[in-house]
């Protein structure tokens, strides 16, 4: 089997460790195999691939698309090193407001599966980073939403000792409790 699937503390988020075949020429690895992913609970049809490049100290997120345009993602870091974060924003979930954080890097070659209903963000820990990720839904600018990266109610430990570089959009995101009021939670 070319993949190892590890369920995280929020069981719907899965760390995927590919088998890497390396020799003096370089390496080869599979990054997606529909049959194996489906056998491990990842059944979405992924119909958009994205590639992003970020400078050192950049923090992007926490982003999501509002229903019915939600996206599941499979994220991997192809250059550099990041902390990748998924926050459960499913109003009826037992783990609502909790997060999973993993290190993804060009060295470990791991990937993170983030199901629909999660906000996603990452911070660059190296001189720069490039991410490639699959998305189950196409980008819809009218459904584009976000949660403030430093929301005290979520309390993400980004493990950084620097002021992150943020977009104006990310600086102005709302708090989780402003987006998901009690009447929107069952």
């Amino acid at each position: 089997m070319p993949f190892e699937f590890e369920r995280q503390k929020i069981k719907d988020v899965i760390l995927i460790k590919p088998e890497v075949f390396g020799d003096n020429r370089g390496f080869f690895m599979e990054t997606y195999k529909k049959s194996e992913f489906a056998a491990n609970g990842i059944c979405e049809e992924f119909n958009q691939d994205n590639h992003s490049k970020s400078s050192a100290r950049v923090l992007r997120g926490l982003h999501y698309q509002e229903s019915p345009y939600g996206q599941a993602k499979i994220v991997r870091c192809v250059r550099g090193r990041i902390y990748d974060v998924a926050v459960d924003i499913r109003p009826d979930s037992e783990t609502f407001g909790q997060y999973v954080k993993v290190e993804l890097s060009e060295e470990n070659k791991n990937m993170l599966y983030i199901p629909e209903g999660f906000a996603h963000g990452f911070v660059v820990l190296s001189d720069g980073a490039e991410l490639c990720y699959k998305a189950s839904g196409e980008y819809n600018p009218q459904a584009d939403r976000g949660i403030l990266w430093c929301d005290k109610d979520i309390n993400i430990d980004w493990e950084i000792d620097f002021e992150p570089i943020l977009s104006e959009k990310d600086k102005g995101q709302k708090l989780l409790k402003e987006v998901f009021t009690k009447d929107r939670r069952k």
Side-chain angles (χ1 to χ4, degrees), residues 1-185:
M1 178 185 308
F3 302 99
E4 182 181 329
F5 296 85
E6 287 182 8
R7 293 203 176 265
Q8 300 300 290
K9 69 178 184 178
I10 301 175
K11 65 180 174 80
D12 299 326
V13 178
I14 303 170
L15 183 65
I16 304 160
K17 297 180 175 182
E19 186 172 2
V20 180
F21 302 93
D23 60 25
N24 63 342
R25 300 168 298 159
F27 73 88
F28 172 83
M29 64 185 241
E30 293 178 358
T31 60
Y32 179 77
K33 190 172 189 176
K34 185 176 181 177
S35 60
E36 284 200 38
F37 279 58
N40 286 277
I42 303 172
C43 301
E44 291 87 355
E45 178 181 340
F46 292 94
N47 52 28
Q48 182 172 320
D49 285 351
N50 301 315
H51 187 143
S52 79
K53 179 179 180 179
S54 300
S55 302
R57 299 181 15 226
V58 165
L59 192 150
R60 296 183 188 261
L62 301 158
H63 303 145
Y64 67 97
Q65 286 194 171
E66 192 167 53
S67 185
Y69 302 102
Q71 297 176 312
K73 296 176 181 176
I74 299 173
V75 182
R76 65 189 179 104
C77 183
V78 297
R79 186 179 77 76
R81 181 174 156 249
I82 66 164
Y83 280 136
D84 205 46
V85 174
V87 178
D88 189 345
I89 58 170
R90 301 170 296 181
D92 57 350
S93 171
E94 291 178 7
T95 55
F96 176 80
Q98 296 179 29
Y99 71 92
V100 168
K101 178 183 72 181
V102 299
E103 183 179 315
L104 301 179
S105 70
E106 66 184 300
E107 287 82 24
N108 69 26
K109 296 179 180 35
N110 293 338
M111 299 174 275
L112 189 65
Y113 166 73
I114 304 166
E116 187 176 327
F118 283 73
H120 172 248
F122 65 89
V123 65
V124 177
L125 304 171
S126 53
D127 289 339
E130 292 188 42
L131 276 67
C132 291
Y133 57 97
K134 296 184 143 332
S136 64
E138 294 183 10
Y139 175 68
N140 182 320
Q142 289 76 35
D144 187 22
R145 302 288 185 274
I147 304 293
L148 189 64
W149 70 279
C150 58
D151 185 327
K152 300 268 190 255
D153 289 336
I154 302 170
N155 199 29
I156 297 169
D157 181 3
W158 292 97
E159 294 185 56
I160 55 176
D161 60 359
F162 54 81
E163 190 66 31
I165 300 168
L166 302 162
S167 69
E168 290 304 312
K169 173 180 142 183
D170 287 346
K171 288 178 187 176
Q173 297 289 11
K174 294 180 178 181
L175 300 173
L176 184 66
K177 65 184 172 190
E178 293 174 313
V179 177
F180 295 94
T181 58
K182 288 184 182 181
D183 62 329
R184 287 193 62 187
R185 295 200 60 205

